[in-house]
Amino acid sequence: MHHPDPAGAEIEARQAKPEDGAATHAPVRRLRRAERREQILDAATRAFAQAGYAATGLDDVAAEANLTRAMLYRHFDSKADLYRAVLDRACTRLGEATGTDDFDDDAIPALMRSAAADPDGFKLLFRYAAREPDFRELIDTITAASREVAHRNLARVIPAGPWLDWAANLIPALTIEAVIAWLDAGRPDPGQAADRIAQAVHGVMAAARPAS
């Protein structure tokens, strides 16, 4: 159960230094609940990406967010609740950035832009969540959807059968791993990197087509 927050917002006030002997106060800055929640999610994404779910405690997240542990509990019931919210947000951002069921020339660059905009969230989805049984169903859902989209698009150029299934399984995984490698390398020359990944994808497609 969430801890009550009757005002619907946390209030942060700081006292200004007195000037000319008069005590004055800086304007009170209100962080609305949604803004505070985003702040916590940002910090949690960074913290979890450093060590994974099991090795990261709420104290680590609180320190990263420069908040108290009690403040976290105003927004999230548990570490698991917070982690799932982090993954859900990363998944939503990914869908909004890629947002198409068709492969075209912008599909790989769009995926790379999404990964570059939220590298920690991207890695949490595809590197950490896949290894965590309690959260595996989310990445399994994403993987299944990616395979279905790949299968539908590849069926236009590859006959139905084992080779089509192989390509539809391999291409999404290959692309994700390539983007993660690009992130780990420091995101050099995104245009060239996109071309290299596209070449690998086309190589798989060529291998899956029957010999003429």
Side-chain angles (χ1 to χ4, degrees):
M1 178 178 182
H2 292 300
H3 292 257
D5 186 11
E10 289 81 38
I11 300 176
E12 293 179 338
R14 56 185 177 84
Q15 184 172 350
K17 294 180 179 179
E19 296 181 0
D20 299 328
T24 59
H25 293 271
V28 173
R29 178 170 179 257
R30 294 174 181 270
L31 273 185
R32 296 194 178 280
R33 189 173 184 85
E35 294 172 336
R36 177 69 80 194
R37 190 176 191 274
E38 286 299 302
Q39 178 193 4
I40 294 171
L41 289 175
D42 288 341
T45 299
R46 294 191 299 270
F48 286 127
Q50 291 172 15
Y53 175 74
T56 303
L58 285 179
D59 288 336
D60 299 315
V61 176
E64 183 70 29
N66 197 26
L67 297 172
T68 65
R69 186 184 177 110
M71 186 74 76
L72 300 186
Y73 278 116
R74 294 187 184 183
H75 298 266
F76 301 97
D77 292 330
S78 63
K79 184 174 82 165
D81 183 37
L82 173 57
Y83 191 64
R84 185 168 295 280
V86 165
L87 295 178
D88 286 344
R89 188 179 71 160
C91 186
T92 298
R93 287 179 170 180
L94 178 65
E96 290 173 348
T98 54
T100 179
D101 286 344
D102 294 319
F103 290 157
D104 56 28
D105 291 341
D106 193 50
I108 292 173
L111 182 65
M112 294 174 65
R113 288 193 297 271
S114 175
D118 186 16
D120 288 336
F122 193 88
K123 290 178 183 179
L124 281 178
L125 276 178
F126 296 108
R127 174 171 286 171
Y128 287 111
R131 304 172 186 170
E132 295 156 356
D134 290 344
F135 305 96
R136 179 64 196 240
E137 78 282 358
L138 176 61
I139 191 62
D140 285 346
T141 299
I142 296 173
T143 300
S146 298
R147 287 174 177 169
E148 193 278 327
V149 171
H151 196 283
R152 185 172 65 254
N153 282 269
L154 292 171
R156 301 169 184 168
V157 294
I158 302 173
W163 284 108
L164 172 59
D165 296 340
W166 170 76
N169 287 335
L170 179 58
I171 286 175
L174 180 154
T175 304
I176 291 296
E177 288 300 321
V179 172
I180 290 177
W182 173 70
L183 292 176
D184 288 343
R187 292 176 270 177
D189 196 343
Q192 183 185 63
D195 290 341
R196 293 172 65 186
I197 297 171
Q199 289 174 14
V201 169
H202 287 301
V204 173
M205 293 172 63
R209 293 193 192 99
S212 56

